[in-house]
Amino acid sequence: MTKINTSLSSSRRKSRKAHFSAPSSVRRVIMSAPLNKELREKHNVRSIPIRKDDEVVITRGTNKGREGKVTSVYRLKYVIHVERVAREKSNGQSVPLGIAPSKVMITKLKLDKDRENILERISKGREAKAKRKEKESS
């Protein structure tokens, strides 16, 4: 049996290299976070790349349940920083905790023209896929 997509490798070594040496544009897509139920119903989109002023709730880890606004998206480290989620250093200084974007849920989107276009494009694709499935089944 031959591979369907020859440009994709299933090698652990190559996958890890691709992940950790990915350019910023690819990291943006990797750093996507799921939307909550209301937003999912409204926009017909399951997840979207996270950005600075989105409001999120943490769903995993010791900070589970904490809510806040995303203060920074640290693409180099594949983490986001959420306001009021910080740790005290031994000298009393406060340091933001890095949280993996897949472990948060977006509760409020910062919408601008570009973001609305992205949501519209994704939902159109989903609707087209649903129509194709309906056509095939009947």
Side-chain angles (χ1 to χ4, degrees):
M1 193 176 130
T2 59
K3 288 172 82 170
I4 295 166
N5 188 350
T6 53
S7 64
L8 279 177
S9 172
S10 58
S11 161
R12 174 180 162 87
R13 180 185 189 176
K14 289 179 183 177
S15 295
R16 284 178 57 82
K17 183 171 172 56
H19 179 79
F20 293 111
S21 62
S24 185
S25 56
V26 175
R27 284 176 187 245
R28 175 183 164 272
V29 178
I30 294 170
M31 293 178 72
S32 291
L35 302 177
N36 69 356
K37 283 242 167 58
E38 294 86 54
L39 289 172
R40 205 182 300 168
E41 294 295 316
K42 184 180 175 188
H43 299 292
N44 193 22
V45 173
R46 189 170 187 85
S47 70
I48 191 165
I50 203 153
R51 71 170 284 182
K52 192 175 177 186
D53 289 319
D54 288 343
E55 285 181 28
V56 297
V57 60
I58 300 171
T59 56
R60 290 282 183 274
T62 52
N63 292 302
K64 184 177 181 176
R66 303 261 304 264
E67 295 178 48
K69 199 179 260 189
V70 176
T71 54
S72 72
V73 178
Y74 205 147
R75 287 190 189 165
L76 190 70
K77 290 185 175 179
Y78 283 111
V79 295
I80 60 168
H81 294 142
V82 181
E83 67 181 3
R84 296 188 304 275
V85 180
R87 178 170 184 270
E88 291 287 316
K89 282 175 43 170
S90 58
N91 65 1
Q93 197 178 356
S94 178
V95 180
L97 269 178
I99 296 153
S102 61
K103 305 303 174 202
V104 300
M105 189 165 55
I106 300 173
T107 54
K108 191 176 176 201
L109 289 166
K110 179 175 192 293
L111 285 174
D112 56 9
K113 206 182 287 177
D114 294 329
R115 206 106 189 261
E116 283 170 4
N117 289 343
I118 292 166
L119 287 167
E120 203 172 300
R121 193 173 65 225
I122 296 170
S123 65
K124 269 186 187 170
R126 288 200 168 215
E127 286 165 15
K129 190 177 179 182
K131 279 182 185 173
R132 247 184 283 128
K133 266 195 176 156
E134 261 179 39
K135 207 181 227 183
E136 286 174 11
S137 62
S138 61

